[in-house]
Amino acid sequence: MNKKIAMKTPIVEMDGDEMTRVLWQWIKEILILPFVELKTEYYDLGLVNRDKTDDQVTVDAANANKKYGVGVKCATITPNAQRVEEYKLKQMWKSPNGTIRRILDGTVFRAPILAKGITPYIPGWKKPIVLARHAYGDVYSGVETRTAAGDKAYLLVEDKEGNVKEKLLVQDFAKGGGIVQSVHNTDKSIESFARSCFNYALDVKMPLWFATKDTISKKYDHHFKDIFNDLYEKEYKAKFEAAGIEYMYTLIDDAVARIVRSEGGVLWACKNYDGDVMSDMVATAYGSLGMMTSVLVSPDGNYEFEAAHGTVTRHYYKYLKGEATSTNSVATIFAWTGALAKRGELDGIPELTAFAKKLEKATVSAIEEGKMTGDLVPLFRAEGVTPVKLGSEEFLRAIAEKLA
Ligand code: NAP
Ligand code: MG
């Protein structure tokens, strides 16, 4: 047995719920602990402990992520009324991801994991398309109302003293009622979104595309375009040129058309609503939720890695009954490898980064050889390879075999 790889700084480990909590333990035992002298600061974000600590554990974990720079998070339950009942919760705690995002002030990047044999619905996509969604403002914190015939709706802006600075007629509903909506964003949030995107593009050496509808929205969307362009010119142009990647701004409809025609290999930055809609399109088009990773990057360079899917409740209840499960652990494995690789990079431990890449390779090649979980079997097509459905733990053992 070779010597285990030593670490310097701990990774902030955020445990979670249900089936993904089960996978979490197995991934560590089977794929990481035999090879790495794993150093983590552990936070139990499972719903039981969040309730016990009045959700303080989520805040503590996010602050630890800020302190150490790198975290890895297991999927967690966001409670609804049914979960409040099921877990006898003190209250309906907020989404942990929302809390962490607020504290880290980050942008979420979602990237598909590609394996030969799992063909995207758009066959021209050969490389990953990474989607960056601005996670603040626009219609997600909009104000809206219904109007009646004869109403007039205005957009009103007051200064600090309460003097009316601007009063713009939105619509005179003289001929009949309707609806009206008002949205906002802030320079600070747009700028940190832009910064996260530029940094991530440099990190992974991918060209960055950003798109809005500035031809129609000449102040609002145009402001996004200006902030991105100014920041690019001032701080990032030289770095992009040195890295041999480009920044391109275009219109959102043009971007959609280009994405479909592209072979992938692009970081696509989207406004909040565009990102919401397009990330589901891109994720589905690549094949499976179990093959999509997610990383939250803060403007000051903190990273939180996770899988894009949930806690896979249906499989968990089968597991509890002792029935066989075949839950895809790939995205959770890649959350761990993302964190380990980043830690290795920051701490100057190339062996750690190399191990993470090796584990990713072993995972993908297990699938390419036909060993996979049930969700992938119907998607798999490769000449001469018959896909075999493995159990949740069995799949991890198949990867471990390749690793050793
Ligand atoms: P989900 O856990 O993503 O699962 C939905 C369905 O997708 C599963 O039933 C399964 O389909 C399939 N699936 C998802 N991940 C899979 C995997 N790794 N391997 C195989 N199949 C997979 O979403 P949900 O059922 O809507 O939500 C469950 C809980 O997760 C909720 O409490 C929600 O709050 C939470 N959630 C957490 C996060 C997060 O922490 N980031 C994100 C989303 C949801 P089949 O049943 O057909 O096999
Ligand atoms: Mg969505």
Side-chain angles (χ1 to χ4, degrees):
M1 189 86 205
N2 287 332
K3 220 173 120 239
K4 288 194 201 179
I5 301 163
M7 289 179 62
K8 287 181 195 153
T9 318
I11 287 172
V12 178
E13 175 184 353
M14 302 174 226
D15 209 342
D17 289 298
E18 300 193 313
M19 198 60 209
T20 40
R21 189 182 178 97
V22 177
L23 296 178
W24 193 259
Q25 202 52 43
W26 286 341
I27 289 170
K28 282 201 297 175
E29 276 168 27
I30 299 169
L31 296 177
I32 299 173
L33 292 173
F35 307 97
V36 179
E37 207 61 70
L38 186 66
K39 238 185 174 176
T40 71
E41 192 162 293
Y42 179 86
Y43 292 85
D44 184 0
L45 265 57
L47 188 51
V48 173
N49 194 46
R50 271 181 280 148
D51 194 51
K52 200 171 117 195
T53 62
D54 295 333
D55 209 23
Q56 185 59 38
V57 67
T58 309
V59 175
D60 292 345
N63 284 326
N65 203 145
K66 248 185 139 154
K67 176 175 162 199
Y68 294 114
V70 181
V72 58
K73 181 180 166 291
C74 180
T76 45
I77 293 169
T78 298
N80 54 15
Q82 182 252 323
R83 298 293 199 168
V84 172
E85 181 59 28
E86 181 185 354
Y87 282 81
K88 305 277 173 261
L89 299 178
K90 295 180 203 159
Q91 68 178 73
M92 201 185 291
W93 303 109
K94 286 195 192 127
S95 150
N97 286 333
T99 303
I100 295 166
R101 213 172 290 153
R102 262 191 303 281
I103 293 173
L104 290 184
D105 177 26
T107 299
V108 175
F109 297 87
R110 279 185 160 198
I113 300 150
L114 305 191
K116 281 190 218 90
I118 312 282
T119 314
Y121 287 95
I122 298 177
W125 289 0
K126 307 282 184 225
K127 300 181 208 159
I129 292 165
V130 180
L131 202 136
R133 171 182 171 188
H134 185 207
Y136 176 81
D138 300 354
V139 294
Y140 301 84
S141 36
V143 176
E144 50 186 33
T145 190
R146 289 176 64 171
T147 58
D151 287 354
K152 283 196 184 108
Y154 295 94
L155 186 64
L156 180 86
V157 182
E158 286 179 356
D159 66 14
K160 276 201 292 237
E161 280 78 41
N163 308 308
V164 173
K165 265 177 73 179
E166 242 184 319
K167 184 177 173 184
L168 306 170
L169 181 68
V170 175
Q171 178 67 10
D172 182 346
F173 291 93
K175 290 187 182 143
I179 42 182
V180 62
Q181 181 185 58
S182 172
V183 300
H184 83 280
N185 225 299
T186 67
D187 292 355
K188 181 168 177 278
S189 175
I190 300 168
E191 195 181 311
S192 61
F193 171 51
R195 204 175 282 286
S196 299
C197 291
F198 289 129
N199 287 341
Y200 189 92
L202 286 169
D203 232 21
V204 296
K205 301 224 172 359
M206 263 189 183
L208 171 66
W209 296 1
F210 178 51
T212 72
K213 195 72 183 177
D214 67 286
T215 46
I216 299 298
S217 171
K218 291 184 194 303
K219 292 232 163 80
Y220 197 102
D221 278 18
H222 209 287
H223 197 55
F224 277 82
K225 175 182 175 179
D226 289 344
I227 287 179
F228 267 72
N229 280 351
D230 291 351
L231 193 63
Y232 179 69
E233 291 296 329
K234 255 189 256 145
E235 291 184 32
Y236 289 96
K237 195 172 180 196
K239 291 180 194 164
F240 268 56
E241 282 168 1
I245 54 174
E246 59 153 12
Y247 166 60
M248 179 182 76
Y249 175 83
T250 186
L251 287 169
I252 184 68
D253 32 4
D254 180 49
V256 170
R258 280 174 190 259
I259 283 288
V260 171
R261 284 198 309 266
S262 79
E263 57 161 28
V266 178
L267 170 58
W268 186 15
C270 288
K271 283 179 64 199
N272 210 346
Y273 178 81
D274 298 335
D276 184 350
V277 178
M278 289 303 156
S279 63
D280 283 277
M281 193 272 285
V282 170
T284 309
Y286 272 109
S288 167
L289 256 184
M291 300 290 278
M292 184 68 60
T293 58
S294 189
V295 56
L296 175 71
V297 183
S298 78
D300 49 351
N302 297 304
Y303 294 77
E304 184 242 329
F305 295 86
E306 61 168 352
H309 58 76
T311 59
V312 212
T313 311
R314 204 180 64 83
H315 297 209
Y316 181 59
Y317 283 99
K318 278 176 75 177
Y319 167 80
L320 285 183
K321 280 192 262 169
E323 291 172 27
T325 60
S326 183
T327 313
N328 191 335
S329 48
V330 173
T332 307
I333 295 171
F334 272 64
W336 272 104
T337 55
L340 290 168
K342 181 52 77 181
R343 201 62 275 169
E345 204 184 298
L346 295 176
D347 291 350
I349 315 173
E351 314 87 86
L352 190 61
T353 306
F355 167 76
K357 296 294 154 201
K358 215 173 114 188
L359 175 50
E360 291 180 355
K361 238 185 163 157
T363 306
V364 170
S365 50
I367 296 170
E368 291 177 345
E369 287 169 13
K371 297 167 195 151
M372 63 195 75
T373 46
D375 55 319
L376 299 181
V377 171
L379 305 171
F380 190 85
R381 267 177 209 51
E383 215 169 307
V385 186
T386 313
V388 180
K389 176 179 165 177
L390 300 182
S392 307
E393 195 182 345
E394 230 183 330
F395 175 63
L396 296 172
R397 302 238 174 252
I399 299 169
E401 246 169 62
K402 296 212 64 82
L403 251 188

